[in-house]
Amino acid sequence: MAHFVQLLTSFTCNVATYLSRIFGMDGKTTRTWKLVLSWLPIILLAGWYTTTAYHRTEENPDEKLTPTPTKVYEAFQRYALEPDKAGDYRLWKDVRASGERFLWALPWLFLAALVGLHMGLYQWVEDLSLRSLTVVDKIPPILLLALIFVVLGTGDIAKVAIIVITVFPTIALDTQLITKSFPKELRIKAKTLGASNAEITYLVVFKNIFPRVLHVFRSSLKAIFLALLAAEAVVSAVGIGYRTFYVQRFSAVDVILVYVITATLALVTIDLSIRWYVRLRYKWLDK
Amino acid sequence: MSFIELTDVHQAYGHKRVLNDIDLRIREGEFTTIVGPTGCGKSTMLRLILGSEQPVRGSVTIEGTPVTGIHRDRGIVFQQYGLFPNLTVLENIMFGPVHERHSFVGGIIGRAIIKLRRGAECWLGKRVGNLLPKGPLYAIEEQALEYLNRIGLSEADAGKYPFELSGGMRQRVAIASAAIMKPKVFLMDEPFGALDAVTRQKMQQFILELHQKYQMTIFFVTHELREALFLGTRVIALSQYYKTDNGGEPGTQGSKIISDFPLQRTSTLDEKYSPELNAIEKQLMEDLDGSKKKYIGDFHLTHPDSFRTVDAAEWRRTS
Ligand SMILES: Nc1ncnc2c1ncn2[C@@H]1O[C@H](COP(=O)(O)OP(=O)(O)O)[C@@H](O)[C@H]1O
Ligand SMILES: [Mg+2]
């Protein structure tokens, strides 16, 4: 009996040590634990949703608010794999329309980075733009929507404009900060080595900060899509934002979920691609 | 006439006075080491000679021409940030000549060609690389490789990025990238401050060889007295801790040159601990001791080129 108690205590002790090594402060999780912990919330959520959905559908077959995964897949089939009356595959048509608007905004956002670069290096550019950008940065873009639709019409130009107005100041201001944190010593060195102002601006500073600017862009993705989808929801005939809000009128949660999942996957893909690109292309970054 | 002249140089940032009435004449080829307490303005003095900032009063001239800005004839090596992190070792060394001799676009194209050729050599072998065009920067590339050899790196290191190098190698490359411009004046701001003792000693020998070979005029800031004495042909000490007759306080009065000694050039490590150097070190230690402030009339300005103009308010006593 005593032997058994001793065994039990030592076992409890070992388990306690093991657990504190993982769950204590500054603990280190193993690979397996990492995998388990990172998937746990997702699996729990998915499991909870699925069971609720099936229960509710069993009680009421016309239940719309919590479609079962099967129903969501059927909605996906209808929207992505079968043409509608006009012969369009609606999901892809919408993704394409939103994607094109997003792409049209990119050159302007590159311009924002250039503006920030010059703000960080040339005092007069900073004087010229810092105050205005700081103010514009604070305008709630949703309110601007009305104004932009009045001024620029309700076409694609307005939607690109709303993206640009929303994130241009953020990107420019962040780029300015990054530019300012670039060591002055390196600029001085470049000058002693005979580089011109243009060469220092674009070949030394910009090339060095560009990967960081990409990270800024990555973190503005959410704001970009918030602005775009809101604009599409208000007035549009095609686009992810448009369709989602259109089917919302019929409480078609299954279709909404299809679009939510699609948009989320698209954003994750863009985000990860940029991260991988930066890691591969700029291996000297942050070293 | 001296090669470099600082006359009545004052520097201040806002209300903070940093340099107070610096007078200095330097001969061509002199290796001047600068020591002094942290924050006394050693880096500031280098910046004034470099031309990246201008004094609030007084003048800095080189060969009689006032220094008004940065110039390719004056190279600099900092303790940190010596290399462009986005460029390889070879590109870092080539930077100066490329930007001096080639246009914006020409430089980009030339660099791209080199990158392509070196990439091909790396993946497909030297023979394939040799078939590719040399590009407009080939002469500079050859020259850079020569410097690479001289600083003791192999061609295999040419494609490495600065973060892949050790601290000592990084400083070697930084020195090479400045030296390739053959500047008349070479400024170094605690270049070996972050290196371990052994690497540091090797770098000291390297810099001595460089000085002997090119006879450039060097300013070398360090907080290691031994290093200053071993490397220099002249050592000056800057300090804000001294007494004058107008009762200025350290921190508000700005630094002056409080010691200025000629040094026998020592070329072997044994002489690094010679009695003469030991004596100067002892003296410098005493001069730099902030708790025993020296009176302005008692500074040790024994170098034959040393001179100064004094403010009558600061030195009234004549003894
Ligand atoms: N750009 C600047 N603006 C304000 N103060 C400065 C600036 N540069 C240097 N200083 C001040 O001048 C003093 C001397 O600086 P520095 O030349 O870097 O000293 P050292 O190199 O001898 O340690 C320091 O007290 C520093 O705070
Ligand atoms: Mg300094």
Side-chain angles (χ1 to χ4, degrees), chain A residues 182-196 198-199 202-204 207-208 283-285 287, chain B residues 50 52 70-72 74 76 78 81-86 95-96 99 102-104 108 161 163 174 177 181:
Chain A
F182 184 75
K184 195 174 176 208
E185 285 91 338
L186 285 177
R187 269 157 47 205
I188 292 179
K189 178 183 154 115
K191 217 168 209 178
T192 64
L193 295 178
S196 67
E199 285 163 339
Y202 305 111
L203 298 183
V204 176
K207 277 198 138 184
N208 271 287
K283 56 176 178 165
W284 45 265
L285 186 69
K287 294 276 173 56
Chain B
L50 183 68
S52 66
I70 293 170
H71 192 271
R72 56 90 62 223
R74 296 185 292 278
I76 189 150
F78 297 103
Y81 309 120
L83 296 173
F84 301 111
N86 65 325
F95 188 95
H99 288 280
H102 293 269
S103 68
F104 190 105
I108 293 178
Y161 283 93
F163 78 86
S177 69
M181 298 291 278

Side-chain angles (χ1 to χ4, degrees), chain B residues 42-44 189-190 221:
Chain B
K42 305 182 292 293
S43 303
T44 304
D189 196 347
E190 303 190 21
V221 171

